[in-house]
């Protein structure tokens, strides 16, 4: 049959839209969306016919249109298995929310809430009031406010207290974090002039004293949470620095970054400065994140001296950086868990994952190894190995937590097999993200709680001599 005859056999958009199968698709996606999908499918069908292929049936064209609609409808923000060994992985969303926080956020989404309405007086209220007393209780601060992340908190503090003036920072604390966020850049955007003191590895008290002048707006101490300078080093501790700042009537701002509300050594982890410690050491303002070690949704806390917080809250930028009702509800529920530290490791996912015993994870690895090996059909060997998990998101960069996992090594073939396997795992219905190291794809199981779901999901992997595919 010639191509013109085949082209005439291809149904029109109107014919396809009148078909029985179109009704259910229109119900799901709407008539305009299906019309566009059909036009694309028909254009491809006509092109295929011109290139010598047979004309597809109406059912085939409709199936192609449906597939494209389903693919477009699938969110790229998909749940996945984080087997990287980094518990608070910035690229994978950081902290998992506690069930109490999920329920609180859901309720806030479903109903109207008294976000900025005082139920007692019947007048306009302030959204920060919902958590102010709670965060002050947990940190020992006089006052508190909140914005949408810690970078915003630092920006707002600098702009409120040192715009047009100087901010003194040790050269050893001029950090850069993910996404090319650099402290000097944020200071420039805040309208404050950076004054560097000391050297990369050594800063003394006299360096701060000598730098303070009539244009000094504040002293900024930055917790170097994502790196350590070791060897011939010197830094001025927060307590001593607070004394210097107080003697010159200059506020001390301590940016803790990851910041935690509890001493995590009680859970067998290395010490990380707490917000309460920073306040007790004399900081006038402390900033920290909500979605890192605190284990809540993304947020930036600003706590400290009441008069300074009041100044910060008067800054017009505060409104631009505020949090919404959903995040606020989740934060309150998360903070309330800290009132019961004895059960925190059970109820807060971040602590639950960090405190899983190596023995429990190793037993899980032993159970999963044969299941994974069968799914890979002999193309990869699977070995149970010990791992070192990281907290992540800049917390305790030199500290690791003993863990266990699976090392998937190609039986034959080059290193490209590992890349193909990693890509295949990313295409699973629930993607699996591991890490490639020393000739193997390593799946660190510290963050794996749904063992049965992982096993069923992994069964979708298909391997061949030179390929790894998924359904």
């Amino acid at each position: 049959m010639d191509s013109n005859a085949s082209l005439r056999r291809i149904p029109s958009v109107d014919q396809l839209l009148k078909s029985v199968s179109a009704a259910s698709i229109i119900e799901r996606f709407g008539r305009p969306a299906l019309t566009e999908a059909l036009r694309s499918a028909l254009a491809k069908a006509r092109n295929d016919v011109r290139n010598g292929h047979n004309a597809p049936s109406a059912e085939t064209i409709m199936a192609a249109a449906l597939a494209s609609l389903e693919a477009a409808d699938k969110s790229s923000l998909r749940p996945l298995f984080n087997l990287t060994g980094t518990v608070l992985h910035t690229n994978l969303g950081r902290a998992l929310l506690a069930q109490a926080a999920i329920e609180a956020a859901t309720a806030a989404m479903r109903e109207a809430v008294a976000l900025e309405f005082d139920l007692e007086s019947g007048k306009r209220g302030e959204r920060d009031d919902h958590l102010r007393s709670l965060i002050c209780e947990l940190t020992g601060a006089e006052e508190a406010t909140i914005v949408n992340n810690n970078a915003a908190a630092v920006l707002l503090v600098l702009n409120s207290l040192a715009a047009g003036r100087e901010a003194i920072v040790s050269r050893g604390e001029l950090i850069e974090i993910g996404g090319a966020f650099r402290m000097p850049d944020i200071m420039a955007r805040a309208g404050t002039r950076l004054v560097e003191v000391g050297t990369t590895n050594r800063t003394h008290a006299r360096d701060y004293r000598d730098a303070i002048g009539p244009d000094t707006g504040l002293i900024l101490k930055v917790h170097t949470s994502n790196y350590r300078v070791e060897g011939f080093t010197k830094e001025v501790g927060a307590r001593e620095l607070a004394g210097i700042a107080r003697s010159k009537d200059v506020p001390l701002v301590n940016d803790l970054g990851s910041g935690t509300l509890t001493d995590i050594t009680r859970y067998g982890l290395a010490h990380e400065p707490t917000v309460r410690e920073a306040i007790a050491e004399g900081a006038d303002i402390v900033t920290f994140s909500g979605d890192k070690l605190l284990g809540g949704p993304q947020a930036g806390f600003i706590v400290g001296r009441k008069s300074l917080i009041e100044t910060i809250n008067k800054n017009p930028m505060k409104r631009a950086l505020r949090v919404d009702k959903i995040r606020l509800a989740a934060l309150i529920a998360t903070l309330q868990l800290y009132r019961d530290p004895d059960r925190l490791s059970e109820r807060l996912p971040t602590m639950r994952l960090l405190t899983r015993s190596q023995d429990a994870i190793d037993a899980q690895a032993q159970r999963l190894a044969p299941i994974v090996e069968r799914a890979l059909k002999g193309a990869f060997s699977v070995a149970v190995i010990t791992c070192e998990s990281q907290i992540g998101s800049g917390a305790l960069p030199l500290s690791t937590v003993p863990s266990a996992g699976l090392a998937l090594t190609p039986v034959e073939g080059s290193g490209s097999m590992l890349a193909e396997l990693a890509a295949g795992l990313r295409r699973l219905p629930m993607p699996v993200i591991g890490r490639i190291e020393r000739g193997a794809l390593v799946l660190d199981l510290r963050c794996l709680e749904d063992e049965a779901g992982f096993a069923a999901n992994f069964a979708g992997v298909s391997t061949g001599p030179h390929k790894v595919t998924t359904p």
Side-chain angles (χ1 to χ4, degrees), residues 55-171:
S57 64
E59 290 75 15
T60 300
I61 295 170
M62 189 64 76
L66 175 59
S68 69
L69 287 170
E70 289 177 334
D73 194 54
K74 186 180 294 184
S75 172
S76 58
L77 194 66
R78 295 167 59 191
L80 51 77
F81 288 106
N82 172 17
L83 305 188
T84 63
T86 301
V87 176
L88 297 171
H89 199 302
T90 297
N91 297 344
L92 303 182
R94 292 183 179 164
L96 305 181
L97 295 191
Q99 184 59 36
I102 294 169
E103 292 171 359
T106 301
M109 286 187 280
R110 184 178 291 122
E111 306 287 352
V113 297
L115 179 62
E116 292 185 354
F117 183 80
D118 188 326
L119 293 172
E120 188 70 27
S121 67
K123 298 179 180 179
R124 183 184 178 91
E126 168 55 50
R127 65 182 65 197
D128 284 0
D129 288 345
H130 297 288
L131 55 69
R132 179 177 286 113
S133 61
L134 181 55
I135 193 63
C136 289
E137 170 194 327
L138 295 170
T139 64
E142 287 182 0
E143 186 60 286
T145 191
I146 184 172
V147 290
N148 58 16
N149 63 31
N150 191 52
V154 175
L155 174 68
L156 184 61
V157 169
L158 290 170
N159 184 258
S160 301
L161 305 182
R165 305 183 71 190
E166 297 173 346
I168 300 172
V169 189
S170 167
R171 284 189 174 89

Side-chain angles (χ1 to χ4, degrees), residues 336-355:
Q336 288 171 337
L337 298 179
Y338 280 86
R339 285 176 159 168
D340 186 3
D342 292 336
R343 291 195 293 168
L344 191 64
S345 61
E346 302 169 19
R347 301 162 72 188
L348 192 69
T350 294
M351 288 302 163
R352 186 171 67 241
L353 295 175
L354 286 172
T355 55

Side-chain angles (χ1 to χ4, degrees), residues 101-420:
I102 294 169
E103 292 171 359
T106 301
M109 286 187 280
R110 184 178 291 122
E111 306 287 352
V113 297
L115 179 62
E116 292 185 354
F117 183 80
D118 188 326
L119 293 172
E120 188 70 27
S121 67
K123 298 179 180 179
R124 183 184 178 91
E126 168 55 50
R127 65 182 65 197
D128 284 0
D129 288 345
H130 297 288
L131 55 69
R132 179 177 286 113
S133 61
L134 181 55
I135 193 63
C136 289
E137 170 194 327
L138 295 170
T139 64
E142 287 182 0
E143 186 60 286
T145 191
I146 184 172
V147 290
N148 58 16
N149 63 31
N150 191 52
V154 175
L155 174 68
L156 184 61
V157 169
L158 290 170
N159 184 258
S160 301
L161 305 182
R165 305 183 71 190
E166 297 173 346
I168 300 172
V169 189
S170 167
R171 284 189 174 89
E173 297 175 2
L174 291 174
I175 63 167
E176 176 179 328
I177 61 176
F181 172 93
R182 290 182 170 185
M183 186 57 71
D185 295 338
I186 203 69
M187 294 178 81
R189 291 291 183 180
T192 186
R193 299 191 301 276
L194 167 64
V195 175
E196 302 177 32
V197 297
T199 63
T200 301
N201 60 318
R202 291 179 70 80
T203 301
H204 303 271
R206 66 176 182 272
D207 295 321
Y208 288 100
R209 292 194 188 97
D210 292 345
I212 296 173
D215 286 337
T216 302
L218 57 83
I219 297 174
L220 177 63
K221 182 167 183 60
V222 183
H223 178 47
T224 54
S225 59
N226 62 352
Y227 69 93
R228 290 286 185 272
V229 179
E230 297 184 330
F232 186 57
T233 63
K234 168 70 176 177
E235 70 169 309
V236 181
R239 192 176 298 278
E240 182 180 4
L241 192 53
I244 295 170
R246 192 160 45 248
S247 70
K248 300 291 186 177
D249 196 25
V250 172
L252 171 63
V253 177
N254 192 342
D255 174 27
L256 288 183
S258 183
T260 179
L261 298 180
T262 188
D263 182 2
I264 60 176
T265 59
R266 69 182 293 162
Y267 307 112
L269 302 169
H271 180 261
E272 180 82 348
T274 68
V275 181
R276 183 175 289 277
E277 289 170 352
I279 292 292
E281 287 169 344
D284 297 289
I285 291 291
V286 179
T287 60
F288 58 99
S289 293
D291 60 337
K292 297 182 182 179
L293 272 175
L294 193 146
Q298 178 179 294
F301 288 93
I302 306 171
V303 303
R305 188 149 40 105
K306 184 178 178 66
S307 61
L308 297 178
I309 298 292
E310 288 174 346
T311 298
I312 291 165
N313 278 331
K314 291 176 183 176
N315 190 323
M317 289 175 60
K318 172 63 162 58
R319 180 178 178 85
L321 301 173
R322 67 184 182 179
V323 299
D324 70 329
K325 65 173 185 175
I326 302 166
R327 201 180 311 180
L328 188 62
L331 279 169
I332 294 167
T334 302
L335 292 174
Q336 288 171 337
L337 298 179
Y338 280 86
R339 285 176 159 168
D340 186 3
D342 292 336
R343 291 195 293 168
L344 191 64
S345 61
E346 302 169 19
R347 301 162 72 188
L348 192 69
T350 294
M351 288 302 163
R352 186 171 67 241
L353 295 175
L354 286 172
T355 55
R356 288 187 71 197
S357 73
Q358 185 179 12
D359 288 345
I361 303 172
D362 183 75
Q364 184 180 59
Q366 297 289 347
R367 292 191 297 270
L368 286 173
I371 296 173
V372 170
E373 194 157 32
R374 282 196 298 273
L376 295 175
K377 297 180 174 62
F380 293 81
S381 64
V382 179
V384 175
I385 61 170
T386 57
C387 301
E388 293 294 328
S389 299
Q390 294 181 321
I391 294 176
S393 291
L396 299 171
L398 300 183
S399 299
T400 57
V401 186
S403 183
L406 303 175
L408 317 182
T409 308
V411 174
E412 297 179 358
S414 66
S416 64
M417 282 289 289
L418 289 176
E420 292 171 5

